[in-house]
Structure formats: structure tokens, C-alpha cells
Amino acid sequence: MRKRRDSQNGCVPNDGQKASMKHPAKATVLQKEVSLLSGVCLIVGTMIGSGIFISPKAVLLNTGAVGPCLLVWASCGLLSTLGALCYAELGTMITKSGGEYSYLMEGFGPVVAYLYSWTTAIVLKPSSFAIISLSFAKYAAAPFYPGCTPPLIVTKCLAAACILLITLVNCTSVRLASFVQNFFTAAKLMIIFVIVVSGLVMLAQGHTENFSNSFDGGSTSFGTIGLAFYNGLWAYDGWNQLNVITEELKNPYRNLPLAVLIGIPLVSACYVLVNVSYFTVMTTTEVLQSSAVAVTYGHRVLHPVSWIVPLFVVFSTFGSANGSCFTAGRLTYVAGREGHMVKILSYISLRRYTPAPALMFNGLLALFYSIPADIEVLINYFSFAQWAFYGLTALALIVMRFTRKDLPRPVRIPIVFAVLMVLISCYLVLAPIIDKPEMEYLYCTMFIFSGLVLYYPFVYRKVRWLNKYIEPITMHLQLLMEVVPPENVQ
């Protein structure tokens, strides 16, 4: 006897159709898979990299004494929190991924947003990824070359392997990348806990001689204090990372500001207490002479198990590199979606729902930047550009208070926070240049504005003759990587 026909399509659904009814296909967009815990781990895990373990001496070098050094570390935490609160209002007002790019687009239009994506996606993000991976490689190779520096070829190859592995993890699954981030964040918090507790025990035992007259000999130079903040804020860099992945954050109106208020004060407390621990057993001269302060501290205080310090520094740098890769891919993806990068960079993996082309692009640039030996010089000179864009983003918040009153603001901060952020950003941009002007700053500025050479013909004018060359390449890459344009679900 014939089965009763379905009232809508005239047939009985088969097993595959029934399964699809129970588990409907996901739209090919970035999925909301980042929880509050993963958001906190992304902030903490990206901020805490190798800097606090390897070279906190840079802040001490520019401040000249223990007291000003600790004040700079604490002030950097306050400044990062101030900036993050501004970003919390922006992130809950404009719920697009991309961080500063999306906010500059809304506040000042496409040209400023394009210059940000050009500078950040081409230089800042991949070079930062490369620096962190090289730090990982140096510590990972060190146990195999006791008493000497690992060969350069070994560290370069290890850094390349780190970049490739992390890029593969992030292309494979958002959940896997989040798990890696959570695991390595827990590992780095564990070693920080060990350093802080052992330091406090030493302090309680009376090792306070380095804290007496702690402000004697401190620097008062306008430029050197600015450089001290530069180095401290480099260690704090990452406070804005959650805004880059807003579209993938569960309940962003609640979890974005909450993650900020949990993560950044936690990192600030860790940084100040770790520096206090260092000064309980090392003088300022010893800190400045140490090539890796945490390792020296471990040899003096944790002698039987001092090997755990370099091991956990490896864990810390790997986790920080993973967080850097995770967010960098989203920025490039959003810029491609807005037409400011080639179209293929805005495509999403059909099977894994990750921005695989953008992640691969960032990984390839990081591999390229890991080849030269003086990459740190590159990022130092471009740091002023990063803070120029931070200041512009805070200014965009002020501008939109008047021009976009219609936008909902679930989080609304006092406008004075944004004004302070703009003023401090101006100081951090101008102080090192005024104190020690160098041609490299001019070269960096020229590079930033050179992006307009590409913007006018390819973005603004949209020259058509180029499409006949780009479209076949895009099609073949799309088939090779199994990626598709994101669906419009709004």
C-alpha cells in the first residue's frame, strides 16, 4: 500500500532528509563558537607572550630605577584597560569583526580604514606573528645547545614550523584553535603563579634591599619615558584582540565587556607582581645584564626544577603566536569582504567555517618576515603607527557620539576616557620621534600612505581590465582550497 504523501512536496522524506531536518546545514559564515572563557583566554593568552619572561629590562633601561619601572608597568595596565573600555563601547555598538578596521570605516570612511588594513595586514600582524614564533624557536632549541647559542638556521626552521603548524590548526577548526589557546593560557598562568608566589615568599623573608630608595636615579626625560611606555605596552599588546572576532563571540553584548574587565586587570596584576619577584633576587644591574630574566630568576630561586621556566616560556610564546594568528586572519578576511583586499581573502572554508585563505596569507607573510635577522627593528619603528591608529579609533568613538546618535550603545563609557586615550596616543606617537628623530619613521609613514597608490585604481576606480587576470586565479584557488564567499545572513 502506498504511503501517505507529504502535504508539501508529495513524498516521504528519506533518512538523509530526516537527518538534515534534525541538523540543519550551517550558513557559510563565521560561526559563534567563542565563549566567555575562550574570550578571556584569547585576551590573556595573546597579551602574555615572551616579553615578561625575556626582556622586561627594556622598561627598566628607559626608566632608570625600580620605582619608576613598576609605575610604568602599572600605568601600562591602566592605559590598556582605558583603551579596552573604549573598544567595549565600539564593539557592542558595531558588532562586526575586524576591530579598528570596522570602527574607522564607520567613523571616518573607507580611506582611513583601508590605510589601517594595508599597514596592519601587510606589516604589523604578520611581523608580530614572526617575532613571537622566533622567540618560541630560540627557547625550544636552547636545551639542545647547552652553553651556546642555537644556530640561526635551526631557530629559523623551528620558527617556520611553528608558523605552519599554528596556521594549520587555525585553518582546521575554530574550536581546535580555541582549545589550543585555552590550554596554553592555563600553562603560562601556571608559571606566572610559581614566579609570583616564590617572589612573595622571598620578599616575606626580608629580601627588600632593591626596593629601598627605589626612585633614586630615575629618568625624567620626555622621550625616554615614552620609550619605556612603548616597551611596556608592547608586552600588553593584545588587549584589543577580542574586538577583531566580534562576529564569532557568543553574546557579545555581555561577553565582550566582561572578558575585558576580567582579562586585562588579571594581566596587569601578573606583570607588576612578576617584576616585583624579579627585583627581590636581582639588582637593577643584574636585570639589565640578563639575556632572559625569567631564566636567571629560575636558576636562583627554583634551582632543582629551574628547567620548568624555559619550558613554560615555550608554551607561553606558542599560545601567544596562536592568538596572534587567530585574530590576524579575521582582520584580513573583513578587509577582503569590504573590497579592500583581493576577493579570495574574504572566502570561508566550505567544510570548516574558517577564513582559511586569509589565515594562509598571514602565515605566508609571517614566513617571509622570519627570514631577516633584524625584524625587531621593523616592528619597533612601526609601533608609532599602531598607536596612531589606536588614537584615531578613540577619536572615531568621540565623532560617532555626534554623527551616529542612532546606533545602539549597550555599553556607554564616559567620553573623557576616549579623550584621554586620544591624548595619550598622541604622546606615544610623538615623544620618541621628537626625542630621537630618525629617517626610519619617515620611511614607515611613506609606506603607510603608499597604500593610496593601490587604493585609487583598484578600490576607488575599480579598473575592469584587471578582472580578466584575477578571476581565473580566484576560481582555481577557490576550487583548490574548497572555499566560498560568505553568505549574507542579515
Side-chain angles (χ1 to χ4, degrees):
M1 184 175 179
R2 189 184 299 273
K3 293 182 179 179
R4 181 177 296 177
R5 296 187 176 186
D6 185 90
S7 60
Q8 292 183 344
N9 56 19
C11 64
V12 177
N14 57 34
D15 291 340
Q17 290 171 324
K18 290 177 181 178
S20 67
M21 291 177 185
K22 294 179 181 178
H23 305 286
K26 296 179 181 178
T28 46
V29 294
L30 299 180
Q31 305 296 311
K32 290 187 177 294
E33 296 183 349
V34 180
S35 64
L36 174 62
L37 175 62
S38 295
V40 172
C41 288
L42 180 64
I43 292 174
V44 174
T46 308
M47 289 176 72
I48 302 177
S50 59
I52 191 63
F53 302 113
I54 296 175
S55 56
K57 62 183 182 181
V59 177
L60 178 61
L61 181 65
N62 287 292
T63 53
V66 173
C69 176
L70 295 177
L71 279 179
V72 166
W73 280 107
S75 299
C76 287
L78 288 174
L79 180 57
S80 299
T81 305
L82 189 70
L85 289 173
C86 295
Y87 277 49
E89 176 173 332
L90 288 164
T92 52
M93 180 173 65
I94 302 167
T95 55
K96 292 181 180 179
S97 291
E100 293 92 344
Y101 175 82
S102 297
Y103 313 146
L104 292 171
M105 175 76 80
E106 197 72 34
F108 298 118
V111 175
V112 178
Y114 170 80
L115 290 177
Y116 172 78
S117 66
W118 162 257
T119 306
T120 306
I122 301 299
V123 176
L124 290 176
K125 288 291 187 183
S127 60
S128 177
F129 188 15
I131 288 173
I132 299 169
S133 299
L134 285 167
S135 297
F136 161 83
K138 289 174 184 176
Y139 268 81
F144 300 97
Y145 297 90
C148 63
T149 303
L152 191 60
I153 185 65
V154 172
T155 56
K156 297 286 185 182
C157 289
L158 274 176
C162 173
I163 291 168
L164 291 172
L165 177 60
I166 289 174
T167 303
L168 176 63
V169 166
N170 280 269
C171 289
T172 301
S173 167
V174 173
R175 289 185 179 179
L176 178 59
S178 295
F179 172 78
V180 169
Q181 192 66 29
N182 297 352
F183 175 81
F184 285 100
T185 299
K188 66 181 69 180
L189 288 177
M190 187 182 302
I191 190 61
I192 283 177
F193 178 79
V194 170
I195 292 174
V196 168
V197 170
S198 60
L200 292 177
V201 169
M202 298 288 288
L203 198 64
Q205 291 174 349
H207 295 268
T208 60
E209 55 273 11
N210 292 328
F211 297 97
S212 59
N213 302 318
S214 58
F215 286 86
D216 290 351
S219 174
T220 57
S221 168
F222 179 81
T224 54
I225 294 297
L227 289 172
F229 271 95
Y230 256 11
N231 287 284
L233 289 167
W234 170 251
Y236 277 95
D237 194 42
W239 53 265
N240 60 331
Q241 295 301 288
L242 205 55
N243 291 73
V244 182
I245 62 160
T246 307
E247 293 173 23
E248 296 169 84
L249 185 63
K250 297 176 181 177
N251 191 5
Y253 300 114
R254 170 185 175 270
N255 290 342
L256 177 59
L258 195 56
V260 163
L261 292 174
I262 294 171
I264 298 176
L266 175 61
V267 173
S268 303
C270 289
Y271 279 0
V272 173
L273 290 173
V274 165
N275 276 277
V276 169
S277 296
Y278 292 156
F279 289 123
T280 57
V281 295
M282 287 183 279
T283 65
T284 55
T285 303
E286 290 171 332
V287 170
L288 292 174
Q289 290 177 346
S290 174
S291 59
V293 181
V295 175
T296 305
Y297 178 88
H299 285 312
R300 294 192 180 185
V301 180
L302 309 171
H303 179 61
V305 289
S306 58
W307 55 268
I308 68 170
V309 175
L311 174 64
F312 277 87
V313 171
V314 170
F315 289 167
S316 179
T317 49
F318 190 87
S320 186
N322 181 73
S324 176
C325 177
F326 189 91
T327 55
R330 272 63 183 176
L331 170 64
T332 307
Y333 159 78
V334 174
R337 190 174 63 184
E338 296 292 336
H340 288 172
M341 294 280 177
V342 292
K343 189 184 297 184
I344 188 66
L345 296 179
S346 68
Y347 286 11
I348 294 175
S349 172
L350 187 61
R351 298 175 184 272
R352 306 187 184 279
Y353 304 101
T354 60
L359 290 164
M360 293 178 189
F361 176 74
N362 180 64
L364 285 173
L365 285 179
L367 285 172
F368 173 76
Y369 285 131
S370 66
I371 296 172
D374 57 348
I375 185 174
E376 289 85 354
V377 176
L378 174 72
I379 198 69
N380 284 342
Y381 286 121
F382 268 94
S383 292
F384 87 98
Q386 184 69 75
W387 275 96
F389 286 119
Y390 286 159
L392 281 172
T393 304
L395 184 61
L397 174 59
I398 299 171
V399 169
M400 285 189 283
R401 284 285 181 92
F402 301 97
T403 61
R404 298 304 306 273
K405 295 180 180 180
D406 57 308
L407 290 174
R409 289 173 170 82
V411 174
R412 189 181 181 94
I413 64 163
I415 196 67
V416 68
F417 286 6
V419 173
L420 283 172
M421 188 67 181
V422 172
L423 294 175
I424 293 170
S425 297
C426 289
Y427 168 73
L428 291 171
V429 169
L430 296 175
I433 298 175
I434 293 172
D435 186 68
K436 191 179 180 182
E438 295 184 9
M439 289 299 294
E440 283 78 359
Y441 293 117
L442 177 61
Y443 299 150
C444 293
T445 304
M446 290 172 62
F447 173 83
I448 293 168
F449 285 100
S450 70
L452 296 174
V453 176
L454 297 175
Y455 177 83
Y456 181 76
F458 300 124
V459 179
Y460 183 74
R461 300 293 299 178
K462 295 181 180 178
V463 292
R464 299 187 182 279
W465 59 266
L466 195 63
N467 289 339
K468 66 179 181 180
Y469 299 106
I470 292 181
E471 286 181 358
I473 297 173
T474 301
M475 183 185 68
H476 284 90
L477 288 174
Q478 184 179 357
L479 292 171
L480 178 65
M481 294 186 285
E482 295 186 330
V483 293
V484 294
E487 292 183 30
N488 186 5
V489 295
Q490 295 181 348

PDB file of all heavy atoms in Angstrom, residues 2 33 59 61 64 83 130 135 142 147 176 198 233-234 238 244 334 340-341 351 394 413 472:
ATOM      1  N   ARG A   2       0.587   2.203  -0.834  1.00  0.00           N
ATOM      2  CA  ARG A   2       1.397   3.413  -0.953  1.00  0.00           C
ATOM      3  C   ARG A   2       1.318   4.229   0.326  1.00  0.00           C
ATOM      4  O   ARG A   2       0.249   4.397   0.901  1.00  0.00           O
ATOM      5  CB  ARG A   2       0.904   4.218  -2.145  1.00  0.00           C
ATOM      6  CG  ARG A   2       1.838   5.400  -2.476  1.00  0.00           C
ATOM      7  CD  ARG A   2       1.238   6.214  -3.618  1.00  0.00           C
ATOM      8  NE  ARG A   2       1.097   5.415  -4.815  1.00  0.00           N
ATOM      9  CZ  ARG A   2       2.049   5.255  -5.729  1.00  0.00           C
ATOM     10  NH1 ARG A   2       3.214   5.833  -5.536  1.00  0.00           N
ATOM     11  NH2 ARG A   2       1.843   4.537  -6.793  1.00  0.00           N
ATOM     12  N   GLU A  33      31.302  30.589  18.012  1.00  0.00           N
ATOM     13  CA  GLU A  33      31.826  29.459  18.777  1.00  0.00           C
ATOM     14  C   GLU A  33      32.779  29.882  19.891  1.00  0.00           C
ATOM     15  O   GLU A  33      33.344  29.030  20.571  1.00  0.00           O
ATOM     16  CB  GLU A  33      32.530  28.473  17.827  1.00  0.00           C
ATOM     17  CG  GLU A  33      31.582  27.829  16.808  1.00  0.00           C
ATOM     18  CD  GLU A  33      32.277  26.808  15.941  1.00  0.00           C
ATOM     19  OE1 GLU A  33      33.522  26.751  15.981  1.00  0.00           O
ATOM     20  OE2 GLU A  33      31.586  26.076  15.224  1.00  0.00           O
ATOM     21  N   VAL A  59      62.033  48.224  29.827  1.00  0.00           N
ATOM     22  CA  VAL A  59      61.343  49.262  30.599  1.00  0.00           C
ATOM     23  C   VAL A  59      62.280  49.834  31.652  1.00  0.00           C
ATOM     24  O   VAL A  59      62.360  51.050  31.847  1.00  0.00           O
ATOM     25  CB  VAL A  59      60.063  48.696  31.253  1.00  0.00           C
ATOM     26  CG1 VAL A  59      59.385  49.754  32.122  1.00  0.00           C
ATOM     27  CG2 VAL A  59      59.093  48.194  30.188  1.00  0.00           C
ATOM     28  N   LEU A  61      65.524  49.927  31.572  1.00  0.00           N
ATOM     29  CA  LEU A  61      66.593  50.682  30.920  1.00  0.00           C
ATOM     30  C   LEU A  61      66.185  52.133  30.677  1.00  0.00           C
ATOM     31  O   LEU A  61      66.988  53.056  30.841  1.00  0.00           O
ATOM     32  CB  LEU A  61      66.965  50.006  29.598  1.00  0.00           C
ATOM     33  CG  LEU A  61      68.094  50.655  28.782  1.00  0.00           C
ATOM     34  CD1 LEU A  61      69.408  50.580  29.546  1.00  0.00           C
ATOM     35  CD2 LEU A  61      68.220  49.975  27.422  1.00  0.00           C
ATOM     36  N   GLY A  64      65.274  53.785  34.517  1.00  0.00           N
ATOM     37  CA  GLY A  64      66.472  54.011  35.305  1.00  0.00           C
ATOM     38  C   GLY A  64      66.427  53.562  36.747  1.00  0.00           C
ATOM     39  O   GLY A  64      67.449  53.569  37.423  1.00  0.00           O
ATOM     40  N   GLY A  83      41.859  51.890  27.075  1.00  0.00           N
ATOM     41  CA  GLY A  83      41.618  51.638  25.658  1.00  0.00           C
ATOM     42  C   GLY A  83      40.594  50.543  25.434  1.00  0.00           C
ATOM     43  O   GLY A  83      39.724  50.650  24.567  1.00  0.00           O
ATOM     44  N   ALA A 130      55.662  36.586  13.316  1.00  0.00           N
ATOM     45  CA  ALA A 130      57.008  36.074  13.076  1.00  0.00           C
ATOM     46  C   ALA A 130      57.911  36.273  14.292  1.00  0.00           C
ATOM     47  O   ALA A 130      58.673  35.375  14.661  1.00  0.00           O
ATOM     48  CB  ALA A 130      57.607  36.765  11.850  1.00  0.00           C
ATOM     49  N   SER A 135      60.826  33.862  18.919  1.00  0.00           N
ATOM     50  CA  SER A 135      61.069  33.727  20.361  1.00  0.00           C
ATOM     51  C   SER A 135      60.800  32.303  20.810  1.00  0.00           C
ATOM     52  O   SER A 135      61.561  31.724  21.602  1.00  0.00           O
ATOM     53  CB  SER A 135      60.175  34.701  21.137  1.00  0.00           C
ATOM     54  OG  SER A 135      60.479  36.036  20.824  1.00  0.00           O
ATOM     55  N   ALA A 142      67.059  25.925  22.716  1.00  0.00           N
ATOM     56  CA  ALA A 142      68.104  26.143  23.720  1.00  0.00           C
ATOM     57  C   ALA A 142      68.535  24.875  24.474  1.00  0.00           C
ATOM     58  O   ALA A 142      69.745  24.659  24.678  1.00  0.00           O
ATOM     59  CB  ALA A 142      67.657  27.216  24.709  1.00  0.00           C
ATOM     60  N   GLY A 147      75.022  25.840  26.785  1.00  0.00           N
ATOM     61  CA  GLY A 147      76.252  26.629  26.839  1.00  0.00           C
ATOM     62  C   GLY A 147      76.562  27.445  25.616  1.00  0.00           C
ATOM     63  O   GLY A 147      77.584  28.134  25.573  1.00  0.00           O
ATOM     64  N   LEU A 176      39.204  23.959  17.703  1.00  0.00           N
ATOM     65  CA  LEU A 176      40.551  23.456  17.978  1.00  0.00           C
ATOM     66  C   LEU A 176      41.491  24.607  18.322  1.00  0.00           C
ATOM     67  O   LEU A 176      42.275  24.519  19.276  1.00  0.00           O
ATOM     68  CB  LEU A 176      41.079  22.689  16.766  1.00  0.00           C
ATOM     69  CG  LEU A 176      42.508  22.143  16.884  1.00  0.00           C
ATOM     70  CD1 LEU A 176      42.626  21.185  18.066  1.00  0.00           C
ATOM     71  CD2 LEU A 176      42.928  21.452  15.581  1.00  0.00           C
ATOM     72  N   SER A 198      56.766  32.409  44.638  1.00  0.00           N
ATOM     73  CA  SER A 198      58.144  32.279  45.140  1.00  0.00           C
ATOM     74  C   SER A 198      58.748  33.649  45.427  1.00  0.00           C
ATOM     75  O   SER A 198      59.489  33.823  46.406  1.00  0.00           O
ATOM     76  CB  SER A 198      59.006  31.516  44.127  1.00  0.00           C
ATOM     77  OG  SER A 198      59.048  32.198  42.886  1.00  0.00           O
ATOM     78  N   LEU A 233      54.003  48.721  26.757  1.00  0.00           N
ATOM     79  CA  LEU A 233      52.764  48.495  26.014  1.00  0.00           C
ATOM     80  C   LEU A 233      52.928  47.409  24.957  1.00  0.00           C
ATOM     81  O   LEU A 233      51.938  46.778  24.560  1.00  0.00           O
ATOM     82  CB  LEU A 233      52.294  49.804  25.376  1.00  0.00           C
ATOM     83  CG  LEU A 233      51.765  50.832  26.377  1.00  0.00           C
ATOM     84  CD1 LEU A 233      51.611  52.198  25.725  1.00  0.00           C
ATOM     85  CD2 LEU A 233      50.436  50.383  26.966  1.00  0.00           C
ATOM     86  N   TRP A 234      54.171  47.184  24.493  1.00  0.00           N
ATOM     87  CA  TRP A 234      54.411  46.046  23.595  1.00  0.00           C
ATOM     88  C   TRP A 234      54.093  44.744  24.321  1.00  0.00           C
ATOM     89  O   TRP A 234      53.498  43.828  23.745  1.00  0.00           O
ATOM     90  CB  TRP A 234      55.860  46.054  23.115  1.00  0.00           C
ATOM     91  CG  TRP A 234      56.269  44.802  22.395  1.00  0.00           C
ATOM     92  CD1 TRP A 234      57.112  43.836  22.847  1.00  0.00           C
ATOM     93  CD2 TRP A 234      55.831  44.364  21.104  1.00  0.00           C
ATOM     94  NE1 TRP A 234      57.229  42.824  21.918  1.00  0.00           N
ATOM     95  CE2 TRP A 234      56.452  43.126  20.840  1.00  0.00           C
ATOM     96  CE3 TRP A 234      54.969  44.890  20.147  1.00  0.00           C
ATOM     97  CZ2 TRP A 234      56.257  42.417  19.668  1.00  0.00           C
ATOM     98  CZ3 TRP A 234      54.764  44.173  18.963  1.00  0.00           C
ATOM     99  CH2 TRP A 234      55.409  42.957  18.733  1.00  0.00           C
ATOM    100  N   GLY A 238      47.599  43.297  22.662  1.00  0.00           N
ATOM    101  CA  GLY A 238      46.643  42.193  22.588  1.00  0.00           C
ATOM    102  C   GLY A 238      45.364  42.494  23.343  1.00  0.00           C
ATOM    103  O   GLY A 238      44.412  41.725  23.272  1.00  0.00           O
ATOM    104  N   VAL A 244      38.413  42.002  17.356  1.00  0.00           N
ATOM    105  CA  VAL A 244      38.669  41.566  15.988  1.00  0.00           C
ATOM    106  C   VAL A 244      37.776  40.389  15.607  1.00  0.00           C
ATOM    107  O   VAL A 244      37.512  40.152  14.424  1.00  0.00           O
ATOM    108  CB  VAL A 244      40.160  41.192  15.825  1.00  0.00           C
ATOM    109  CG1 VAL A 244      40.476  40.783  14.391  1.00  0.00           C
ATOM    110  CG2 VAL A 244      41.047  42.371  16.220  1.00  0.00           C
ATOM    111  N   VAL A 334      37.907  40.434   6.901  1.00  0.00           N
ATOM    112  CA  VAL A 334      36.935  41.538   6.866  1.00  0.00           C
ATOM    113  C   VAL A 334      37.342  42.571   5.821  1.00  0.00           C
ATOM    114  O   VAL A 334      36.495  43.103   5.092  1.00  0.00           O
ATOM    115  CB  VAL A 334      36.810  42.184   8.260  1.00  0.00           C
ATOM    116  CG1 VAL A 334      35.921  43.421   8.203  1.00  0.00           C
ATOM    117  CG2 VAL A 334      36.228  41.186   9.255  1.00  0.00           C
ATOM    118  N   HIS A 340      38.708  45.762   0.160  1.00  0.00           N
ATOM    119  CA  HIS A 340      39.999  46.414   0.347  1.00  0.00           C
ATOM    120  C   HIS A 340      41.163  45.442   0.220  1.00  0.00           C
ATOM    121  O   HIS A 340      42.325  45.850   0.333  1.00  0.00           O
ATOM    122  CB  HIS A 340      40.049  47.116   1.707  1.00  0.00           C
ATOM    123  CG  HIS A 340      39.203  48.349   1.757  1.00  0.00           C
ATOM    124  ND1 HIS A 340      38.969  49.050   2.921  1.00  0.00           N
ATOM    125  CD2 HIS A 340      38.528  49.008   0.774  1.00  0.00           C
ATOM    126  CE1 HIS A 340      38.185  50.092   2.655  1.00  0.00           C
ATOM    127  NE2 HIS A 340      37.910  50.082   1.368  1.00  0.00           N
ATOM    128  N   MET A 341      40.870  44.169   0.041  1.00  0.00           N
ATOM    129  CA  MET A 341      41.871  43.159  -0.270  1.00  0.00           C
ATOM    130  C   MET A 341      41.314  42.338  -1.439  1.00  0.00           C
ATOM    131  O   MET A 341      40.137  42.473  -1.783  1.00  0.00           O
ATOM    132  CB  MET A 341      42.146  42.250   0.940  1.00  0.00           C
ATOM    133  CG  MET A 341      42.790  42.945   2.126  1.00  0.00           C
ATOM    134  SD  MET A 341      44.562  43.145   1.880  1.00  0.00           S
ATOM    135  CE  MET A 341      45.008  44.039   3.364  1.00  0.00           C
ATOM    136  N   ARG A 351      33.814  23.488   4.454  1.00  0.00           N
ATOM    137  CA  ARG A 351      33.674  22.380   5.403  1.00  0.00           C
ATOM    138  C   ARG A 351      33.937  22.801   6.848  1.00  0.00           C
ATOM    139  O   ARG A 351      33.329  22.278   7.775  1.00  0.00           O
ATOM    140  CB  ARG A 351      34.646  21.243   5.046  1.00  0.00           C
ATOM    141  CG  ARG A 351      34.401  20.633   3.670  1.00  0.00           C
ATOM    142  CD  ARG A 351      35.486  19.612   3.350  1.00  0.00           C
ATOM    143  NE  ARG A 351      35.349  19.057   2.013  1.00  0.00           N
ATOM    144  CZ  ARG A 351      34.608  17.979   1.732  1.00  0.00           C
ATOM    145  NH1 ARG A 351      33.972  17.358   2.705  1.00  0.00           N
ATOM    146  NH2 ARG A 351      34.529  17.532   0.491  1.00  0.00           N
ATOM    147  N   ALA A 394      39.889  55.820  18.991  1.00  0.00           N
ATOM    148  CA  ALA A 394      39.255  56.520  20.116  1.00  0.00           C
ATOM    149  C   ALA A 394      38.605  57.814  19.639  1.00  0.00           C
ATOM    150  O   ALA A 394      37.521  58.191  20.109  1.00  0.00           O
ATOM    151  CB  ALA A 394      40.293  56.809  21.202  1.00  0.00           C
ATOM    152  N   ILE A 413      30.585  54.461  27.846  1.00  0.00           N
ATOM    153  CA  ILE A 413      31.618  54.900  28.783  1.00  0.00           C
ATOM    154  C   ILE A 413      31.631  56.431  28.857  1.00  0.00           C
ATOM    155  O   ILE A 413      31.148  57.106  27.940  1.00  0.00           O
ATOM    156  CB  ILE A 413      33.007  54.386  28.355  1.00  0.00           C
ATOM    157  CG1 ILE A 413      33.402  54.992  27.000  1.00  0.00           C
ATOM    158  CG2 ILE A 413      33.060  52.878  28.316  1.00  0.00           C
ATOM    159  CD1 ILE A 413      34.860  54.884  26.675  1.00  0.00           C
ATOM    160  N   PRO A 472      40.227  34.187 -13.121  1.00  0.00           N
ATOM    161  CA  PRO A 472      40.635  32.772 -13.268  1.00  0.00           C
ATOM    162  C   PRO A 472      41.485  32.273 -12.099  1.00  0.00           C
ATOM    163  O   PRO A 472      41.336  31.138 -11.653  1.00  0.00           O
ATOM    164  CB  PRO A 472      41.440  32.779 -14.580  1.00  0.00           C
ATOM    165  CG  PRO A 472      41.006  33.993 -15.298  1.00  0.00           C
ATOM    166  CD  PRO A 472      40.689  35.009 -14.246  1.00  0.00           C
TER     167      PRO A 472
END
